[in-house]
Amino acid sequence: MDGKKILIIEDDDIVARTIERCLRGGEYRVTIASSGVEGLQAARRDVPDLVILDVIMPGMDGYTVCKEMRKDTLLAEVPILFLTAKTKDDDKITGLAAGADDYLGKPFNVDELLLRIKAILRRTQRMKQESAQPAGPAAEASPRKEAPERIVRIGEYTLNTRTFEFYSPQTGKFRLTPVQYDLLYHLMTHPGEIFSPNRLLDEVWDYPSDAGSPDLVRVHIKNLRERIELDPKNPVFIQTVPGYGYTIPLPEEG
């Protein structure tokens, strides 16, 4: 992952330089922007592989920056990691609902930050490699064994592994963020299996057991249900098994 471009949008120069020093040791290419507007301009000039984004900034706050990136076709698929002192559950929900991939509170552990950065970059690199694979007979040889059109199907619900679009018979078609894609792909390729939040953190986020929070899984599931379900509080597709975790049920035969 040497040479990956990391954009830090952070108005506290001490924090920004601390992160920069940590990343320089990993031979990342680091750019720092001290405001939301400056950060968006920097991202559009040179699209980064990852954005580390503060929330509380003068002018345009981090939530707005995140939403603007997700609306911009140039930046829509760039992963975003919030790094902020706003760590209440409502803050995390707001940030992840805006389109962020992960959320880490301040003060932060440098080793955990580096772990999350590496995990996010591995996921996005995997998605790029998969999208570059040819359709047709070559796709049939893929370890994931998609059909030639590269569609994963559960009943009427479909996931296109080339365009990262999901179709719900209730709400129609929409494009997923990288982490939403990985989460749905994992659940849809294991229908009927129940996954605890900690297991999903391990198998989807690539985080060890002592990193990450089950809240991260809970909020991403909540956001997906709001896009997939007519009634997100009574989900049909991604279901909760109380005391165990989440599952996508096997479609009923006939």
Side-chain angles (χ1 to χ4, degrees):
M1 283 182 283
D2 290 353
K4 292 292 185 181
K5 294 178 288 186
I6 310 291
L7 173 61
I8 302 167
I9 307 177
E10 168 66 69
D11 67 323
D12 186 323
D13 187 63
I14 294 176
V15 173
R17 295 299 173 186
T18 299
I19 300 170
E20 181 187 30
R21 285 195 298 273
C22 297
L23 296 177
R24 293 288 186 198
E27 299 183 10
Y28 297 101
R29 295 164 51 195
V30 180
T31 301
I32 296 175
S34 59
S35 72
V37 172
E38 182 185 343
L40 281 174
Q41 292 171 343
R44 287 165 178 154
R45 285 194 302 269
D46 187 12
V47 177
D49 294 295
L50 171 68
V51 170
I52 299 174
L53 179 60
D54 189 16
V55 171
I56 305 172
M57 295 183 290
M60 184 183 293
D61 67 21
Y63 297 143
T64 305
V65 173
C66 186
K67 291 175 183 177
E68 288 298 314
M69 287 182 61
R70 292 296 173 243
K71 290 190 294 185
D72 189 324
T73 54
L74 186 65
L75 305 175
E77 296 182 5
V78 174
I80 297 170
L81 167 63
F82 272 116
L83 184 63
T84 175
K86 291 179 70 67
T87 56
K88 293 181 179 179
D89 284 350
D90 287 348
D91 299 323
K92 294 176 184 178
I93 290 170
T94 300
L96 296 173
D101 294 82
D102 204 348
Y103 203 105
L104 185 60
K106 297 176 183 174
F108 60 94
N109 179 283
V110 169
D111 290 336
E112 182 172 2
L113 174 63
L114 291 174
L115 184 150
R116 294 198 187 197
I117 289 170
K118 290 175 182 178
I120 291 170
L121 291 175
R122 278 196 298 270
R123 290 198 305 270
T124 53
Q125 182 63 32
R126 187 165 63 239
M127 282 186 67
K128 290 177 182 177
Q129 290 171 346
E130 289 167 358
S131 65
Q133 290 177 5
E140 294 180 326
S142 167
R144 288 185 167 180
K145 300 180 181 178
E146 291 93 1
E149 66 270 26
R150 300 180 63 80
I151 298 294
V152 179
R153 187 183 307 275
I154 301 289
E156 295 183 80
Y157 300 86
T158 60
L159 176 63
N160 188 311
T161 65
R162 179 172 292 279
T163 65
F164 314 120
E165 290 178 318
F166 180 82
Y167 172 77
S168 163
Q170 285 84 20
T171 58
K173 183 185 292 186
F174 58 90
R175 178 165 292 175
L176 301 161
T177 67
V179 72
Q180 287 175 342
Y181 169 82
D182 274 349
L183 179 56
L184 264 185
Y185 181 92
H186 198 70
L187 292 172
M188 290 180 72
T189 52
H190 298 83
E193 193 167 345
I194 302 170
F195 291 88
S196 69
N198 284 333
R199 184 178 168 192
L200 288 171
L201 285 171
D202 176 32
E203 297 180 6
V204 176
W205 274 261
D206 201 16
Y207 291 163
S209 58
D210 58 346
S213 166
D215 287 343
L216 181 65
V217 177
R218 178 175 58 82
V219 173
H220 276 296
I221 293 287
K222 178 178 181 294
N223 290 341
L224 280 171
R225 284 171 171 167
E226 288 178 349
R227 302 186 75 181
I228 292 170
E229 308 278 358
L230 284 179
D231 183 1
K233 293 183 178 179
N234 294 287
V236 189
F237 188 58
I238 305 176
Q239 297 185 8
T240 299
V241 181
Y244 293 95
Y246 303 101
T247 187
I248 292 177
L250 289 163
E252 295 181 3
E253 297 183 1

